[in-house]
Amino acid sequence: MNGENFCLSEKIVSSSYVRQGSQARRGHEQLIRVLLEQGKCPEEGWSEATIELFLNELAVMDSNNFLGNCGVGEREGRVASSLVAKRHYRLIHGIGRSGDIAAIQPKAAGSSLLNKLTNSVVLDILKLAGVRSAASCFVVPMATGMSLTLCFLTLRHRRPGARYIIWPRIDQKSCFKSMVTAGFEPVVIENVLEGDELRTNLEAVQRKIDELGAENILCLHSTTSCFAPRIPDRLEELAVICAKHNIPHVVNNAYGIQSSKCMHLIQQGARVGRIDAFVQSLDKNFMVPVGGAIIAGFDEDFVEEISKMYPGRASASPSLDVLITLLTLGASGYRKLLSERKELFCHLSQELSALAQQYGERLLHTPHNPISLAMSLSSLQTHGGAITQLGSMLFTRQVSGARVVQMGVEQTISGHTFRGFMSHSESYPYPYLNAASAIGITCDDVALCIKRLDKCLKSLRRETGDSEHVTDPAPLTEVRAKRNLNGLGYLMELRIVFFCS
Amino acid sequence: MNGENFCLSEKIVSSSYVRQGSQARRGHEQLIRVLLEQGKCPEEGWSEATIELFLNELAVMDSNNFLGNCGVGEREGRVASSLVAKRHYRLIHGIGRSGDIAAIQPKAAGSSLLNKLTNSVVLDILKLAGVRSAASCFVVPMATGMSLTLCFLTLRHRRPGARYIIWPRIDQKSCFKSMVTAGFEPVVIENVLEGDELRTNLEAVQRKIDELGAENILCLHSTTSCFAPRIPDRLEELAVICAKHNIPHVVNNAYGIQSSKCMHLIQQGARVGRIDAFVQSLDKNFMVPVGGAIIAGFDEDFVEEISKMYPGRASASPSLDVLITLLTLGASGYRKLLSERKELFCHLSQELSALAQQYGERLLHTPHNPISLAMSLSSLQTHGGAITQLGSMLFTRQVSGARVVQMGVEQTISGHTFRGFMSHSESYPYPYLNAASAIGITCDDVALCIKRLDKCLKSLRRETGDSEHVTDPAPLTEVRAKRNLNGLGYLMELRIVFFCS
Amino acid sequence: MNGENFCLSEKIVSSSYVRQGSQARRGHEQLIRVLLEQGKCPEEGWSEATIELFLNELAVMDSNNFLGNCGVGEREGRVASSLVAKRHYRLIHGIGRSGDIAAIQPKAAGSSLLNKLTNSVVLDILKLAGVRSAASCFVVPMATGMSLTLCFLTLRHRRPGARYIIWPRIDQKSCFKSMVTAGFEPVVIENVLEGDELRTNLEAVQRKIDELGAENILCLHSTTSCFAPRIPDRLEELAVICAKHNIPHVVNNAYGIQSSKCMHLIQQGARVGRIDAFVQSLDKNFMVPVGGAIIAGFDEDFVEEISKMYPGRASASPSLDVLITLLTLGASGYRKLLSERKELFCHLSQELSALAQQYGERLLHTPHNPISLAMSLSSLQTHGGAITQLGSMLFTRQVSGARVVQMGVEQTISGHTFRGFMSHSESYPYPYLNAASAIGITCDDVALCIKRLDKCLKSLRRETGDSEHVTDPAPLTEVRAKRNLNGLGYLMELRIVFFCS
Amino acid sequence: MNGENFCLSEKIVSSSYVRQGSQARRGHEQLIRVLLEQGKCPEEGWSEATIELFLNELAVMDSNNFLGNCGVGEREGRVASSLVAKRHYRLIHGIGRSGDIAAIQPKAAGSSLLNKLTNSVVLDILKLAGVRSAASCFVVPMATGMSLTLCFLTLRHRRPGARYIIWPRIDQKSCFKSMVTAGFEPVVIENVLEGDELRTNLEAVQRKIDELGAENILCLHSTTSCFAPRIPDRLEELAVICAKHNIPHVVNNAYGIQSSKCMHLIQQGARVGRIDAFVQSLDKNFMVPVGGAIIAGFDEDFVEEISKMYPGRASASPSLDVLITLLTLGASGYRKLLSERKELFCHLSQELSALAQQYGERLLHTPHNPISLAMSLSSLQTHGGAITQLGSMLFTRQVSGARVVQMGVEQTISGHTFRGFMSHSESYPYPYLNAASAIGITCDDVALCIKRLDKCLKSLRRETGDSEHVTDPAPLTEVRAKRNLNGLGYLMELRIVFFCS
């Protein structure tokens, strides 16, 4: 309510109460002011009340919500279903204009603000998460694969003669398809085995560049986050090679924001060499629904070039989701999620290692992979079908995300045949099982996964006599909160979680 | 509740009441059954209660909502904000898999059902709206422009050597950019002036094909829905040319579903010649938020090929919106919207024509354009800036969608210079103002638009003496409903709207 | 957003767009201003967006939503479940204070405003509906019966020696219990039969007063809305008697707001005689959930006395519901509902009459009852159980609200035995079936009811040969809207509904 | 979805995925089954998804949501506003029937189930909270005061000649008014001072009974939860007196469920003597909006008698709120809230004591009051107006619930004059300030309250030199969770909160 309405209210209820109410309103306005002024993720999360107030204010600024609007265009933001209108907070016009996904819409000042603020808040978080020198980014309502395609399509206009994309192998279909869809020929670089880890073959990369000619290469397409035993690419070295040969470098950082290691690799790569763009998923890093990605880079102009390559308007839904989420969490809440993930990664690693020992298997030694773990399944190898059976047993028992990788699978995608598919290598020496500690994982997830995996393995062995008990995991200690109580001092909150039988 | 729970309820409240409640539940189940069985848009719309019940049921089938699930993957459908979870009805996993946007997700049976059903219901509506022989379609969470890009990228794999896209000129940035982004060279075919209408230059198309060689042409890219005085392309003739030369044909049907004429053109084109795909916007045809499109075609395999070209998962949000909307409206509700739009098109046309006369202008004669109208602004031409001033006056008065088109504007987009930009012609003889009757338009929209336009024109003329009064529009008569009252006979509802002073 | 935040927004998106957005905001504020200023139901209904904006603004003013509040009281408006918080728009403090349900709460300026405005808007509607001289009213979160009890308890303090309440018989349990619960002895006045109608026995009332002594009578408790063949009490005459004897008069106007006749009776009664309070249900008159009532009167002091009699705070939920509903409908929307109800009453009456004829029955002639109808069931009388069977057949066929009334039922309530219970008379000559046309009824309701009733009667007769067809009802013509189009003239909308076979 | 629909779904998406989805559905059904079977608060809280699923299922059973219903009654559960429909989950029919608030409605099996289950779950919680032998209870949509009135009105029918209610003084208006409204004469028993505590004067009670005669006394009306320095009444002794004299005994347990001490008093009172009914607020004990209460007792028949005294239907809103809340929290969640409250009571007590010392005041010694604390304000006594000024300073600084009590205030309520009003005593020796630790209070509430109070006191003293620093509070240690991980062992979670500067 504006000043006039507060005055009128004072005639109805006591003016001192109304004045306090009006002051309270200013509290919310103040939070919004800081957001508009700084364009940063607030340190402390907002209440749902403030968030909804803010979104309603934005919606009021869009022409489809003008009380006196009359529309005679072909796109007026009308909504047939009130369920639909409400779930979008009546923000209907999407983001961008025909020329540019980052452009401002005359019909939709509120949606335009939403778009600009989201990109700004997300950039702030990318910096907080480790890529401190990121210059620009934008949220795009397409998943990582299609977003990579858009980057490649943009580069085509800079390097019209180029045909190839150099790509250290990672066995994930959409990465591969992102290049094929853009109309380029992926040049697959097999990884090298170092201990248990599969790692970028720098020499092979260099060799391929020499062989094909830098001018014929659209870009190098590297990967950070990946399933163990593959580990993040050697970004620093690759970035240096790219700089040397003047080859663009696009990084698939799909779920890497959640790992300080992945973010550090990108920051370092850009510092010592060349990285043109890095692309990450919204859902995998920010716990929002599938369907959005962030395209970021170190050169504002290039990022803008990509955003101008997207023809037409786009859905505001992923932007809305990530903005709501980040305002809810605040920077402190996001940092807390990151640190919890890290701790539970250690916990999962210990648990899995202990379980592996009991069954004569081992946790593969992949210290460079900060998110994904792999446990060998050598003993199941000899029994035909035991490995796939384990996979379907886990599925039935509602263990989701634990995937089994057999040896010797062959798969052809868009004309290219991958031997040893899913293992990132033509001949990885063991079959294995992957488990990951991704953002939002809980202690319960780990405990239930280990318990059910234990049961499945036991039942596969058909030996009940020798099964030892799971060893108790180490206690987790965590500083849950350190709140500055308005100068009163600090309120510390520790959380200690441990098992007892 | 299942049978067991209904039995238990009978111990708490009277069993005859519970039995009636359980029977009532079956009523909702029955509606869902028919949808699952037939995959068609229900004739009568569903209540919000049934829709929400159905969406909740779908959500329950997704692994992120399993009560006993434990997740150790990198993408588990976790949601940080409950505001976000709710606005998506807890359907978090999006649609598609890494290989194919139409594929089924093991983790998300509910979301997969949603995806399949939406595509099926939308196909039903495409048929109902006039393209009776459409074979297949899918909803894609990208706006029309990017969806066209995806079609072109798919065709590249079929025609690797082709560089050109033949494109009868339509002055809308994202159409043009959709080709440039895909990496092709648009070959612009200027329109011919027939009376007031701008129409496809068939000879020039034929000439260009001969000149460039059919094998070098990726496809012909034609347009149905467009701003007057341009009219829909001569789809039949173009389709015949494409068939003759074996050139693919992609139709931009952006907001054409709402017009039986546009749909008829596509149906006929496919019957007598060749149309490979036609692309339409979700928001412009179904009154949902911006950000989705439908890619449809007459050959199931080709449509599937396009859907497989999208690398990675995608947002389910546009699918959800359109499904909710169509279930709410029902086929009958959608048909009613279409017929209301048509009637108000006539009404707007009459009103605009009458107003034009008062100001010595005229409604351009564009009988082939079923959606958009144009009124000349010749008398403003002589006054420097009067035309743009009119545009901004209308904007300020909250008349949205009415755009003014000046003569002689030049604009360069991605290297191509368009003379007479916005008018679809290098030298259209008059400046003009566009107004459209798009789906969802109301009688009030028309009345307010005419009234405000009148005021603006009056104020621009600065002559108040000669302004005559707006003539009363003809009454609208409409059969609002003809309901078969369960065999009792028909209940007819007429609606008559007219002005009186 | 306040001015400062709009300014900041202009740095992010174009200032002309932001300015338009800020102007649009003022449009909503303006509606709120008028409400605060006048305290009346707006003529045109508000959009859901404006309503939610307004409720959010109110909520922000309550202390439980202050961002910096700290609470060390025993009632701080905390909410454990966010589902609960949201469904109440975070308005948690209820209405009133310990002393007075109409009092203002220091902790809750927003809830207090809500309470005051609701009472004011409801008073406006009572006047609009016909009781033009109503002086004051308040919404109370109790159903009609308990609200009547509260009135009687208040009167006790004015007439401490009184024991009796004079009550023209109406067979509805909660009316009777409202007196018993308050601790008084109801003196039942049997109705007289005039034609088919059961009407107030004025002489008997007068006789009882003389017999018991006016000073021993707490009040006269009369009824307007009731099931046919009983008709509204002769309020004018009763009011005159009350005035003469100085006896308070409380009117049970349960669902009478929807009928101009009932409201007129109250207005007239108060004009010519004495009415102290009239009580009406919220759900039955305003289509909101069960649980609220309006206590109204012609003397502000007496109404305030009642409101002060309610000990403690109370739920704001019914107030919130009725305010949302009236803001949504607007006065025009409510008037439209009233006129539709009236038309459908005629329609139902014709239909029922025609059906009755087919089965040798007749529609009882009860022209003074404006809401409820009765159709004789004499032919079923002879068959043991046929009447109750008809009742349960209708229940099973989902005809709700059609109740059958047998002859000779005896029931004892709180010690008083009613002969001929449910028929408002010790010996009404026929059994019958009631059907009512209440606010919100639709044409479909009538058609389906008649059709199913026909089937049930047919099946009860077990004679299929002689069933004639239902005659077509007369067409309904209605002026749906007469909108003043901002001076352009009037837009008339007629609606004509008729049957055809 | 039912079995048939799951089968149909298997034709659309893979049957193994659908089967897993259907199994997942059974998980939710299972939770509902246990609730229906046992009628108890589930140990672990339900997810919002399960709760909404359940409420939707209930709504589907009500006739207003039947797809084929036709309504010709005067109350059909129609809703004019969809905002209203949704916020009540489409449960519109309220609870109870005209005769009995606990009765089952034929039109509303779902609402009836809701009502029965809520009462059953709430009874379970009353037992869990300490009144193990409670026999029956029901939720009533009226606040505590009006609910007490209903109890007194019920007792009138048992004791028609009685006029008096014996009432140990507690200075809270609605308690007093509850008796006056019911038409009885409260007989105020002044408390005795024991140390700092104000306690029941048993002798005076006994004396009054002898004086008035037991048969003239409707009941004894005692209180548990109250502001310090008054403490809970001596319930055991009072109950014994009541039993001896055969006088009914009604306990006002307004916010006593949250305190095991208050609940223990009731349990003991009923064991050794007589307690007929005890009444408690919903909002103060369960963190739901204001407006509901629980009437409970040890004799099922008497509780039913009260429920039958409520004339007419009633709002289901408070029942819905408390059911949602208890299903969300689960018994474990509620227990946790109780233990947190207790801990923070100690914390608040220490803090307040330390602060008092600094200002030469003291925390009054009231060990029998488990919720409310009082700190003397003797030093402010001498300065005219300083005490009320402190009150308004705290209000302005958003410290809500901290009330100041002056000496010598006189107030007349319904004809009775209370000297020393608000202090529960005609002459309490000190002025003081109250603060309470009520359910839902947080560590932040305490810290902020102390900090702001400190500032206010400092500023009132106008002496800044001698203000010492707040001493750090003792750390809180708490077992947050002890979860049995499906037999794996226990997962313990400790939470330790402490201050550091």
Side-chain angles (χ1 to χ4, degrees), chain D residues 350-423:
Chain D
Q350 288 163 17
E351 292 288 292
L352 216 50
S353 179
L355 187 75
Q357 266 183 302
Q358 286 175 41
Y359 290 93
E361 302 287 353
R362 65 190 186 81
L363 188 71
L364 301 183
H365 186 62
T366 55
H368 289 94
N369 193 318
I371 298 170
S372 174
L373 295 161
M375 164 184 156
S376 70
L377 295 177
S378 308
S379 56
L380 296 182
Q381 179 63 4
T382 46
H383 312 280
I387 288 173
T388 50
Q389 197 186 336
L390 176 61
S392 81
M393 285 171 84
L394 290 170
F395 174 78
T396 313
R397 278 155 191 77
Q398 305 194 338
V399 179
S400 65
R403 49 171 228 159
V404 294
V405 178
Q406 284 182 282
M407 292 170 76
V409 176
E410 233 181 74
Q411 174 137 7
T412 302
I413 306 173
S414 309
H416 186 98
T417 299
F418 289 88
R419 287 202 290 145
F421 190 65
M422 280 183 78
S423 75

Side-chain angles (χ1 to χ4, degrees), chain A residues 72 76 177 181 308 400 436, chain B residues 72 76 177 308-309 400 436:
Chain A
V72 290
E76 293 294 339
K177 296 196 72 171
T181 294
K308 285 196 169 149
S400 65
Chain B
V72 289
E76 293 295 338
K177 297 197 71 169
K308 284 196 170 150
M309 195 55 55
S400 66

Side-chain angles (χ1 to χ4, degrees), chain C residues 85-379:
Chain C
K86 269 180 212 167
R87 79 182 205 86
H88 292 279
Y89 292 90
R90 300 187 180 90
L91 292 157
I92 307 301
H93 277 287
I95 55 175
R97 295 189 72 175
S98 39
D100 182 355
I101 199 183
I104 289 161
Q105 302 189 61
K107 277 184 188 174
S111 293
S112 300
L113 259 178
L114 170 83
N115 191 17
K116 292 283 183 191
L117 285 173
T118 303
N119 291 344
S120 172
V121 165
V122 164
L123 181 64
D124 183 44
I125 287 289
L126 288 180
K127 291 177 177 175
L128 171 156
V131 185
R132 255 172 302 275
S133 55
S136 176
C137 77
F138 65 99
V139 167
V140 68
M142 309 190 295
T144 317
M146 193 70 188
S147 301
L148 288 166
T149 299
L150 190 67
C151 294
F152 303 142
L153 291 173
T154 308
L155 287 172
R156 178 201 298 275
H157 291 264
R158 293 199 160 187
R159 297 169 80 80
R163 274 187 58 194
Y164 303 106
I165 296 178
I166 303 281
W167 180 63
R169 175 171 172 183
I170 159 126
D171 289 5
Q172 208 263 341
K173 273 187 199 173
S174 64
C175 307
F176 186 75
K177 297 196 71 169
S178 70
M179 301 176 282
V180 173
T181 294
F184 296 97
E185 195 173 304
V187 178
V188 182
I189 308 293
E190 287 293 326
N191 297 299
V192 289
L193 190 64
E194 298 186 359
D196 284 340
E197 295 183 332
L198 288 164
R199 204 164 189 191
T200 326
N201 189 337
L202 291 171
E203 279 172 32
V205 168
Q206 182 62 62
R207 228 170 17 239
K208 267 295 170 195
I209 293 173
D210 296 343
E211 182 188 324
L212 300 169
E215 69 286 1
N216 295 318
I217 296 170
L218 184 84
C219 66
L220 192 143
H221 173 197
S222 64
T223 303
T224 55
S225 54
C226 57
F227 289 111
R230 193 197 191 280
I231 59 170
D233 275 321
R234 305 179 77 141
L235 243 60
E236 288 189 47
E237 295 86 342
L238 290 174
V240 168
I241 293 174
C242 287
K244 197 177 78 186
H245 295 281
N246 202 19
I247 295 174
H249 184 187
V250 174
V251 183
N252 173 5
N253 186 39
Y255 45 103
I257 306 179
Q258 65 190 286
S259 153
S260 54
K261 273 194 196 169
C262 292
M263 294 304 267
H264 181 71
L265 283 173
I266 294 170
Q267 173 68 14
Q268 281 304 96
R271 203 178 54 79
V272 304
R274 172 173 183 171
I275 290 179
D276 296 72
F278 56 107
V279 176
Q280 34 269 313
S281 156
L282 280 187
D283 59 289
K284 287 178 192 149
N285 290 294
F286 296 108
M287 300 170 75
V288 293
V290 162
I294 302 165
I295 299 178
F298 300 90
D299 171 10
E300 249 182 280
D301 291 345
F302 181 58
V303 173
E304 196 186 335
E305 209 175 310
I306 306 174
S307 90
K308 285 197 169 148
M309 195 53 56
Y310 188 102
R313 279 172 186 77
S315 170
S317 204
S319 297
L320 184 56
D321 288 338
V322 78
L323 184 63
I324 292 174
T325 299
L326 287 175
L327 292 179
T328 301
L329 291 172
S332 70
Y334 190 63
R335 255 189 248 109
K336 191 166 150 244
L337 280 172
L338 296 186
S339 80
E340 281 175 1
R341 188 205 72 76
K342 216 168 185 171
E343 283 163 30
L344 285 169
F345 177 75
C346 299
H347 180 43
L348 176 63
S349 156
Q350 289 163 18
E351 292 288 294
L352 216 50
S353 180
L355 187 75
Q357 265 184 303
Q358 286 174 42
Y359 290 93
E361 301 288 354
R362 65 192 186 81
L363 188 70
L364 300 183
H365 186 63
T366 55
H368 289 92
N369 192 316
I371 298 170
S372 174
L373 296 161
M375 164 185 155
S376 71
L377 295 178
S378 307
S379 58

Side-chain angles (χ1 to χ4, degrees), chain A residues 55-274:
Chain A
L55 294 177
N56 285 336
E57 294 278 4
L58 291 183
V60 161
M61 296 171 77
D62 277 9
S63 63
N64 60 304
N65 299 313
F66 290 0
L67 293 174
N69 201 63
C70 70
V72 290
E74 85 291 3
R75 186 183 54 85
E76 293 294 339
R78 296 184 182 108
V79 194
S81 153
S82 79
L83 288 179
V84 170
K86 268 180 213 165
R87 78 181 204 88
H88 292 279
Y89 291 90
R90 299 187 180 91
L91 293 157
I92 306 301
H93 277 288
I95 54 174
R97 295 189 72 176
S98 38
D100 181 355
I101 201 183
I104 290 160
Q105 302 189 61
K107 278 184 187 174
S111 292
S112 300
L113 259 177
L114 169 82
N115 190 17
K116 292 283 183 192
L117 286 172
T118 304
N119 291 344
S120 172
V121 165
V122 164
L123 182 63
D124 183 45
I125 288 290
L126 288 181
K127 289 176 180 177
L128 171 156
V131 184
R132 256 172 301 275
S133 55
S136 177
C137 77
F138 65 99
V139 167
V140 68
M142 307 190 295
T144 316
M146 193 70 186
S147 301
L148 287 166
T149 299
L150 189 67
C151 294
F152 302 142
L153 290 173
T154 308
L155 286 173
R156 180 202 298 277
H157 291 264
R158 294 200 160 186
R159 297 169 80 82
R163 275 185 61 193
Y164 304 106
I165 297 178
I166 303 281
W167 180 63
R169 175 171 173 182
I170 158 126
D171 289 5
Q172 207 263 340
K173 274 189 199 171
S174 63
C175 307
F176 186 74
K177 296 196 72 171
S178 70
M179 300 178 280
V180 174
T181 294
F184 296 96
E185 194 174 303
V187 178
V188 182
I189 307 294
E190 288 292 326
N191 298 298
V192 289
L193 190 65
E194 297 185 359
D196 284 339
E197 295 183 331
L198 288 165
R199 205 164 189 191
T200 326
N201 188 337
L202 291 171
E203 278 171 33
V205 168
Q206 183 62 61
R207 232 174 8 245
K208 267 295 171 195
I209 293 173
D210 297 342
E211 183 187 323
L212 300 169
E215 67 287 0
N216 295 317
I217 295 168
L218 184 85
C219 66
L220 192 144
H221 173 197
S222 65
T223 304
T224 55
S225 53
C226 58
F227 289 111
R230 194 196 190 280
I231 59 168
D233 275 320
R234 305 179 76 140
L235 244 60
E236 288 189 46
E237 293 85 342
L238 290 174
V240 167
I241 292 175
C242 287
K244 196 176 77 185
H245 295 281
N246 201 20
I247 295 174
H249 184 187
V250 174
V251 182
N252 173 5
N253 186 39
Y255 44 102
I257 305 179
Q258 66 190 284
S259 152
S260 54
K261 272 193 198 171
C262 293
M263 294 304 267
H264 181 71
L265 282 174
I266 294 171
Q267 173 68 14
Q268 282 303 96
R271 204 177 55 78
V272 303
R274 171 173 183 171

Side-chain angles (χ1 to χ4, degrees), chain C residues 72 76 156 177 181 308 400, chain D residues 76 177 308-309 400 436:
Chain C
V72 290
E76 293 295 338
R156 178 201 298 275
K177 297 196 71 169
T181 294
K308 285 197 169 148
S400 65
Chain D
E76 293 294 341
K177 297 197 71 170
K308 284 196 169 149
M309 196 53 56
S400 65

Side-chain angles (χ1 to χ4, degrees), chain C residues 48 51-52 55 63 66-76 78-84 87-89 91-95 98-100 106-107 141-146 149-150 153-154 156-157 172-175 177-178 180-184 227 255 258 283-284 286-292 308-318 320-322 324-325 328-329 337 348 371 395 397-402 434-442 444-446 448-449 452, chain D residues 48 51-52 55 63 66-76 78-84 86-89 91-95 98-100 106-107 141-146 149-150 153-154 156-157 172-175 177-178 180-184 227 255 258 283-284 286-292 308-318 320-322 324-325 328-329 337 348 371 395 397-402 434-442 444-446 448-449 452:
Chain C
E48 291 197 349
I51 292 173
E52 295 202 321
L55 295 176
S63 63
F66 290 180
L67 293 175
N69 201 64
C70 70
V72 290
E74 86 290 7
R75 186 183 55 84
E76 293 295 338
R78 296 184 183 106
V79 193
S81 153
S82 79
L83 289 179
V84 170
R87 79 182 205 86
H88 292 279
Y89 292 90
L91 292 157
I92 307 301
H93 277 287
I95 55 175
S98 39
D100 182 355
K107 277 184 188 174
M142 309 190 295
T144 317
M146 193 70 188
T149 299
L150 190 67
L153 291 173
T154 308
R156 178 201 298 275
H157 291 264
Q172 208 263 341
K173 273 187 199 173
S174 64
C175 307
K177 297 196 71 169
S178 70
V180 173
T181 294
F184 296 97
F227 289 111
Y255 45 103
Q258 65 190 286
D283 59 289
K284 287 178 192 149
F286 296 108
M287 300 170 75
V288 293
V290 162
K308 285 197 169 148
M309 195 53 56
Y310 188 102
R313 279 172 186 77
S315 170
S317 204
L320 184 56
D321 288 338
V322 78
I324 292 174
T325 299
T328 301
L329 291 172
L337 280 172
L348 176 63
I371 298 170
F395 175 78
R397 277 154 192 78
Q398 304 194 338
V399 179
S400 65
N434 277 133
S437 168
I439 193 165
I441 191 173
T442 64
D444 271 19
D445 283 322
V446 176
L448 284 171
C449 161
R452 291 175 188 172
Chain D
E48 291 196 350
I51 291 173
E52 296 202 321
L55 294 176
S63 63
F66 289 0
L67 294 175
N69 201 62
C70 69
V72 290
E74 86 290 6
R75 185 182 55 83
E76 293 294 341
R78 295 183 184 109
V79 194
S81 153
S82 79
L83 289 179
V84 170
K86 267 180 214 166
R87 78 180 203 89
H88 292 279
Y89 291 89
L91 292 158
I92 307 301
H93 277 288
I95 56 174
S98 39
D100 181 356
K107 278 184 188 174
M142 306 189 298
T144 317
M146 193 70 187
T149 299
L150 189 66
L153 290 172
T154 308
R156 178 201 298 277
H157 291 264
Q172 206 264 340
K173 274 189 199 171
S174 65
C175 306
K177 297 197 71 170
S178 70
V180 174
T181 294
F184 296 96
F227 289 111
Y255 45 103
Q258 65 191 286
D283 58 290
K284 287 178 192 149
F286 295 108
M287 300 170 76
V288 294
V290 162
K308 284 196 169 149
M309 196 53 56
Y310 188 101
R313 277 170 188 79
S315 169
S317 205
L320 185 56
D321 288 338
V322 75
I324 291 175
T325 299
T328 300
L329 292 172
L337 280 172
L348 176 64
I371 298 170
F395 174 78
R397 278 155 191 77
Q398 305 194 338
V399 179
S400 65
N434 277 132
S437 168
I439 193 163
I441 192 174
T442 64
D444 272 18
D445 282 322
V446 176
L448 285 171
C449 160
R452 293 175 186 172

